Amino acid sequence: MRACVLTATGGLAHVAVQQVPDPGPPGAGAVRVAVRAAALNHLDLFVAQGLQGVEYRFPLIMGGDGAGVVDAVGAGVTAVRPGDSVLINPGVADYTCDFCRAGEHPLCPNYGLLGEHLPGTLAEYVLVPEQNVARMPKLDPALSWAEAAAFSLVTLTAWRMIVTRARVRAGETVLVWGFGGGVALAAMRIAKLLGARTIVTSSSDAKLQEARRLGADVTFNHRTQKVAQEVRALTQKRGVDVVVDNVGEGTWNDSLRMLGRGGRLVTCGATTGPNVAMDARRLFWYQWTIMGSTMGNLAEYAEVVRRLGQGELRPVVDRVFPLADVRAALERLERGEQLGKIVVEI
Ligand SMILES: [Zn+2]
């Protein structure tokens, strides 16, 4: 089968589209999906650079997000049948350990992501446990394959951050850095669904205009405006209740400067660097909560798919590329030009 593979780490120069062996028939409890579209995530760029602590087996089939048609099912599979259109949840757990039995799949010691630890979705076929597929909801107008592929990773991640971890409530103020990225976009929309007031930042005025169209209440251009000062003025020095910071070193100090008393900072990434500092006295005096979050569990996934079925959280697709042009798609992501998800049709 044709697939987008990484032949070595060190960046996008080592990305190629080539023939690889297909995955074979699905084992017990597994499902083989004929992928129709796969969406890109920042994770794909980190994987291509080379992640510490990940054992690479080259060629590595890239891609975490995807959607397609169930092509074959293994013994004992009851969730789906061949011919079903499905969304793929990229986070694969063992579904047997203590964390999994407690419903906390992203804490599973054997947790892995498609396209990082396991063969990914940028291929004609992918094998996943039946727990990792969900029937595509019927919407009007119908979800396109590109929209379906763009849904899972960022919506699930943002849901866990905003709902489960930060527990955002109606009337609270939530600031999200870096609108344009898929998680930030989904986080803003989920905070709005919960009745929060949302502030978003971007370096692009065009992206901020789109943010307002999608429901953001206040926008700041972090290239031309001093966001922490602006937010303190906007909130009469009170600060915000929740900051969503997936930027890391570049924004951390400003995130804390505008975090109000009793505020929560939630992070699922550190795109500008991982080493952040904090004054512990301010942490206890203002009774802040600093929390990490990654991906989501099966209950959260079922909930975001249910919301999608109600017409909420429909993904925003930036641009669709054919598989042959996957390198150009990854380069667009690397330059940060996208608004919404970049999708590759298989
Ligand atoms: Zn487990």
Side-chain angles (χ1 to χ4, degrees), residues 110-160:
N110 295 311
Y111 195 71
L113 293 171
L114 301 179
E116 180 182 359
H117 311 90
L118 297 162
T121 52
L122 281 164
E124 288 180 66
Y125 297 97
V126 65
L127 280 183
V128 290
E130 65 171 322
Q131 290 93 335
N132 284 76
V133 292
R135 276 207 203 86
M136 237 163 90
K138 298 248 184 299
L139 293 180
D140 185 20
L143 272 186
S144 66
W145 286 116
E147 288 175 310
F151 178 72
S152 294
L153 189 145
V154 295
T155 317
L156 178 61
T157 301
W159 187 269
R160 185 173 179 85

Side-chain angles (χ1 to χ4, degrees), residues 9-196:
T9 56
L12 299 184
H14 305 288
V15 172
V17 176
Q18 60 185 46
Q19 287 292 131
V20 296
D22 74 38
V31 173
R32 188 172 66 197
V33 179
V35 181
R36 293 287 192 266
L40 303 184
N41 290 287
H42 258 279
L43 178 68
D44 302 310
L45 300 178
F46 293 133
V47 168
Q49 276 305 325
L51 285 164
Q52 283 178 356
V54 177
E55 250 184 73
Y56 282 83
R57 269 182 236 126
F58 300 113
L60 171 75
I61 301 176
M62 298 180 72
D65 266 323
V69 177
V70 174
D71 161 72
V73 300
V77 169
T78 55
V80 290
R81 287 183 299 195
D84 283 349
S85 296
V86 291
L87 310 167
I88 298 172
N89 173 355
V92 177
D94 59 21
Y95 303 110
T96 57
C97 74
D98 288 348
F99 287 109
C100 284
R101 277 181 290 154
E104 286 302 341
H105 310 99
L107 296 176
C108 174
N110 295 311
Y111 195 71
L113 293 171
L114 301 179
E116 180 182 359
H117 311 90
L118 297 162
T121 52
L122 281 164
E124 288 180 66
Y125 297 97
V126 65
L127 280 183
V128 290
E130 65 171 322
Q131 290 93 335
N132 284 76
V133 292
R135 276 207 203 86
M136 237 163 90
K138 298 248 184 299
L139 293 180
D140 185 20
L143 272 186
S144 66
W145 286 116
E147 288 175 310
F151 178 72
S152 294
L153 189 145
V154 295
T155 317
L156 178 61
T157 301
W159 187 269
R160 185 173 179 85
M161 292 178 82
I162 296 293
V163 176
T164 311
R165 300 289 282 143
R167 298 186 179 214
V168 170
R169 295 181 297 269
E172 289 192 313
T173 301
V174 178
L175 181 133
V176 183
W177 286 105
F179 192 86
V183 172
L185 200 157
M188 183 281 283
R189 295 169 88 195
I190 292 166
K192 282 303 292 179
L193 272 185
L194 299 176

Side-chain angles (χ1 to χ4, degrees), residues 131-285:
Q131 290 93 335
N132 284 76
V133 292
R135 276 207 203 86
M136 237 163 90
K138 298 248 184 299
L139 293 180
D140 185 20
L143 272 186
S144 66
W145 286 116
E147 288 175 310
F151 178 72
S152 294
L153 189 145
V154 295
T155 317
L156 178 61
T157 301
W159 187 269
R160 185 173 179 85
M161 292 178 82
I162 296 293
V163 176
T164 311
R165 300 289 282 143
R167 298 186 179 214
V168 170
R169 295 181 297 269
E172 289 192 313
T173 301
V174 178
L175 181 133
V176 183
W177 286 105
F179 192 86
V183 172
L185 200 157
M188 183 281 283
R189 295 169 88 195
I190 292 166
K192 282 303 292 179
L193 272 185
L194 299 176
R197 179 165 76 142
T198 55
I199 306 170
V200 304
T201 85
S202 169
S203 59
S204 150
D205 288 335
K207 289 183 184 180
L208 292 175
Q209 192 179 346
E210 184 64 8
R212 289 191 293 274
R213 195 187 69 78
L214 289 166
D217 296 295
V218 180
T219 60
F220 294 117
N221 186 317
H222 58 235
R223 193 163 44 81
T224 57
Q225 291 177 286
K226 292 199 164 83
V227 175
Q229 275 180 21
E230 296 281 357
V231 167
R232 284 177 59 78
L234 178 78
T235 58
Q236 286 89 42
K237 295 190 182 170
R238 194 181 156 275
V240 301
D241 301 294
V242 173
V243 174
V244 177
D245 187 336
N246 300 323
V247 183
E249 285 175 22
T251 49
W252 194 264
N253 287 339
D254 276 346
S255 290
L256 295 181
R257 280 179 65 205
M258 58 191 163
L259 195 59
R261 292 158 187 264
R264 294 95 80 198
L265 185 157
V266 59
T267 179
C268 74
T271 46
T272 57
N275 297 308
V276 296
M278 191 170 50
D279 182 337
R281 294 168 298 185
R282 297 176 71 211
L283 173 64
F284 67 70
W285 187 251

